[in-house]
Amino acid sequence: MKSDFYFIILLISCILMVTCQSQAQGNDAFQKRGSIAETFQPLPFFEVVPLGWIKQQMQDNLKGFTGHLDSLVPDLILHDDIYGKDRLSRHTKSKDVGAITENGELQAQFLWWNSETQSNWRDGYIRSAILTMDQAHIAKAKQYILKMISTQDSDGYLGIYDKDLRYKFDNENGELWAKTTLLRGMLAWYYFTRDFAILKAIESAVSNVMVNYPAYKSHPFHSVNPDAGGLTHGLAFTDILQELWRINGKNEYRDYCLFLYKDFSEEVLNEDAQFMKLMDTTLPLKGHGVHTYEHLRSLAAAYYTSANPGLKAALKNFLVKIAPETAASGGPAGDEWIAGRKADATGRGYEYCSIHELLNSYTDLLAKTGDADFGELTEKMFFNAAQGSRNPFESSIAYLKTDNSYSMCGGLNGDTTVKTQTRYKYSPAHQDVAACCVPNAGRIAPYYVQSMWMKDSKALIATLLGPCEVETSIMGKRVNIEEQTAYPYDYKVTFIVTTHETEFDLKIRRPSWATKIIVSVEYKEDKGYISIHKRWKGEESVSIQFFPEAAVRQDINGEYFYTYGPLVLARPLQSIGIQTKTYPLKEFRDMHYRPLTMSVLEYANEGVKQTKPDRLEFSTALYNPVSKKNEPAILIPMGQTILRQVTFKPKSEDK
Ligand SMILES: [Zn+2]
């Protein structure tokens, strides 16, 4: 008895000690120790505009799902004035949010859904309209912005709840998330028009939050139910706060990021990004993928606000945990849940929303750290996972996709056991699950473009490569640079620099895959950047030729895959397309794709070579485990494929 008693006391003491230590460590982590400046300054939206294929893709989106989503899912967008006359109140019973639920009933907790659908869609729509200077769409975007501003109450409230509900929650709600998604689009409109009335409306909406959820005196993330998706999406409100801080330099916005992350971390919520969970390095990521990947930048915002080493450690751990969740293409696992399982080229889907949100977090970290690796990760995701989840032949996307994609008929690679699984198909809406991914598929290119250039006090930096034009000021002087290239489908990049007369560094991120580079002027290399220092005058040009090589790499599971420069290659598989749904708008439809013939080949340790110069087509030999022979195979960029094999297991005989 005695020994048991002492054992229990010892155990409790240990638990208490651990708890106290954890609390001390936890509380201490949110103490402000200073603040950290961002290494690079992100450029405001609209200072970088797309050219070439990226502009073409945005124009195609405007002709396709981005330009027509309101007509494709009118009940979710046109028939629900959720920020205006249809604001949610205690009397709201139910509304169509476009999802199939198990028991056929709609649950109150999902009632914020249409705000996300509408505002994420509008954000991509507004940005695409502006970046392509499409006057008809810009006029429509203006009408929408004016309408949203007209819904703002005199106290600044902009959101989806009537007075009886707003800021009074102890459970799932979309208060902060509905504002986050709306205000992102409004910020884009402000940057385009520089209309201070818009900025004032945004600031007033944010101060209404800060008054009603006072810092350290309220608990915006409190929920009696730990599964509260709309509530925890709301941590992304830090995006708005950071942007306002960048505009007007007021530290109160940045400080509020720290408060939000602290409250989010201290509530009982099933979320991976909570501080104490991140500090447990044995705990894998389990949560809803898109939350986890967007929360990465909220933690980064809290760390840069506080300069606290505890948050620095959490951020480092977070990145370590994300690494095994990413596939060869950069696609981050989560179908919809990460569920503690690693990425797998065949067995784990990734969601379009997650691709967009992790990309957005990587570009934020690229600005904060200046670390060229985040540029490489961003390019990998955009050129491979994101392009590879679009239908290359018509305007539709996959909600869930895998690197190895052998069937796109609803279930994961032909699985039919879960009847409600319809995400593995191509649709311009995906209304049967949720219209979340299509709006984000319209956002990703504009967000990529915005981060293609950044600056610091004496340099203008091409952080992500591709065809675009930047116009900004450096050292107080206007500079315009046109980046002429078809990158990543061509590896020569010409920068046409135009300025009156200015001395500054032109920096260009040097892709790590380039085995050789030729630069047309004198340059230096430092920490992953090519740097050209000179006094620029009038119009001058700099050309860089990057030399890629076809390479064989291994994914986290030891499967082999091929790359060429920034592109991941795939063995395309012939498929039969089956139309499964039509829309009143004739040019749109949902599609299933079945394989025409099916063979899964293995790595044969054979070389790979380009079939013709200037053609992105490669040949190799792969092992067929059925015929037990090597057979020739053609590889093309995975972004051009529907059904495909990207990774190849080691030859079965070698195992
Ligand atoms: Zn989604």
Side-chain angles (χ1 to χ4, degrees), residues 22 24-36 216 235 238 254-266 273-279 295-320 365 368-369:
S22 301
Q25 194 186 8
N27 287 331
D28 183 56
F30 303 107
Q31 297 293 320
K32 213 172 154 183
R33 300 280 179 86
S35 63
I36 303 171
Y216 305 103
L235 182 61
T238 55
R254 227 185 171 193
D255 291 344
Y256 201 75
C257 292
L258 181 62
F259 156 65
L260 288 181
Y261 181 67
K262 179 176 191 285
D263 189 56
F264 164 85
S265 287
E266 291 176 348
Q274 290 184 302
F275 174 74
M276 291 307 291
K277 288 183 190 159
L278 292 174
M279 294 312 284
H295 290 163
L296 175 61
R297 59 184 185 276
S298 300
L299 165 59
Y303 166 51
Y304 273 68
T305 300
S306 68
N308 189 303
L311 296 185
K312 183 183 184 179
L315 184 57
K316 186 172 152 255
N317 291 351
F318 204 168
L319 290 166
V320 169
L365 285 163
K368 283 184 166 62
T369 63

Side-chain angles (χ1 to χ4, degrees), residues 336 351-354 399 434 436-437 440:
E336 319 246 340
E351 186 183 345
Y352 213 110
C353 288
S354 293
Y399 187 117
C436 56
C437 287
N440 278 326

Side-chain angles (χ1 to χ4, degrees), residues 63 68 79 111 119 141 224 322 347 361 387 477 484:
K63 283 189 206 121
H68 296 88
H79 304 159
L111 294 184
S119 297
V224 293
I322 287 173
S361 294
Q387 300 305 319
K477 303 273 178 59
Q484 297 174 343

